[in-house]
Amino acid sequence: MAEYLQSLDPRSLVVLESALSFAISPFTAPTYNLPVFLFGVVAQESSESNASLKLAQNKFTGLLGGSALFDIIWLSRHQQNWFIKLITLIILLLKGPTFFAFVTALRQRGESFSGLNVRGGDLNGPTVWSMPGGFSSLAGGRGGYEDVDAARDVEAHPRPAVVPQPVAPAPTMAPPPGQPPGGYQSV
């Protein structure tokens, strides 16, 4: 299956689906397919260009997967002529190989789906943070975990004695002579 997907040409699939979408656009058909596939043609042509246009191929792959779900919903809610419905189903069926051809092309170039954090099938990814509270493998010989039933070693770590400090009263400001209390003061 992987060899078959690698042999598919994503550009020819997108051009074919663009032509089919254009052919059925005057009839009752999904209106979003033609713009999605035209964006795919531009994304495929720009795969050799700078990094900002390479991002377009990532976005097209996501749009293509989402539009397949929209096609299923659209087909269940709208009536079509049998011939137009056949072409719409062919477009829907071609979206699967096109999606996987684009994903394979992205993996071969080392690209990733940055929004999904998927880097070539590595779903674990690097650890960015550790859980607060000492639950890491660096905390002691127990692997960071403390048994609930284990006796605590209270004497080994005595708490410092807390000596209460007397609280001093807050200073009160008396109004200057000749002014009533509570009024605004000029500086």
Side-chain angles (χ1 to χ4, degrees):
M1 178 79 170
E3 294 171 6
Y4 173 71
L5 289 177
Q6 289 177 351
S7 68
L8 289 176
D9 182 24
R11 184 177 185 275
S12 63
L13 285 170
V14 171
V15 169
L16 173 67
E17 288 170 312
S18 297
L20 289 174
S21 294
F22 179 73
I24 64 171
S25 63
F27 305 103
T28 304
T31 58
Y32 52 85
N33 275 337
L34 183 60
V36 166
F37 289 126
L38 289 177
F39 177 65
V41 170
V42 172
Q44 182 61 30
E45 293 295 326
S46 68
S47 65
E48 306 300 324
S49 300
N50 61 12
S52 66
L53 291 177
K54 285 183 181 180
L55 184 64
Q57 203 167 14
N58 282 350
K59 301 297 180 192
F60 170 70
T61 307
L63 279 173
L64 187 64
S67 71
L69 176 65
F70 281 13
D71 278 349
I72 294 170
I73 294 170
W74 195 94
L75 283 170
S76 67
R77 299 189 55 117
H78 294 84
Q79 294 294 324
Q80 289 179 305
N81 182 355
W82 69 270
F83 185 68
I84 304 300
K85 185 172 228 139
L86 177 69
I87 294 176
T88 306
L89 285 173
I90 290 171
I91 291 172
L92 175 62
L93 293 176
L94 284 174
K95 283 184 180 183
T98 307
F99 177 80
F100 289 116
F102 268 86
V103 167
T104 304
L106 286 171
R107 284 187 181 172
Q108 286 175 350
R109 283 199 331 256
E111 299 277 333
S112 65
F113 292 104
S114 60
L116 299 175
N117 244 355
V118 177
R119 293 170 311 281
D122 179 21
L123 296 176
N124 295 331
T127 302
V128 182
W129 66 279
S130 62
M131 180 180 255
F135 289 111
S136 65
S137 61
L138 302 175
R142 301 179 309 241
Y145 292 101
E146 182 177 333
D147 294 336
V148 175
D149 297 331
R152 291 186 173 206
D153 190 12
V154 178
E155 287 79 25
H157 302 289
R159 288 188 173 186
V162 178
V163 178
Q165 299 289 333
V167 178
T172 59
M173 304 251 336
Q179 281 188 336
Y184 290 105
Q185 299 176 359
S186 62
V187 180

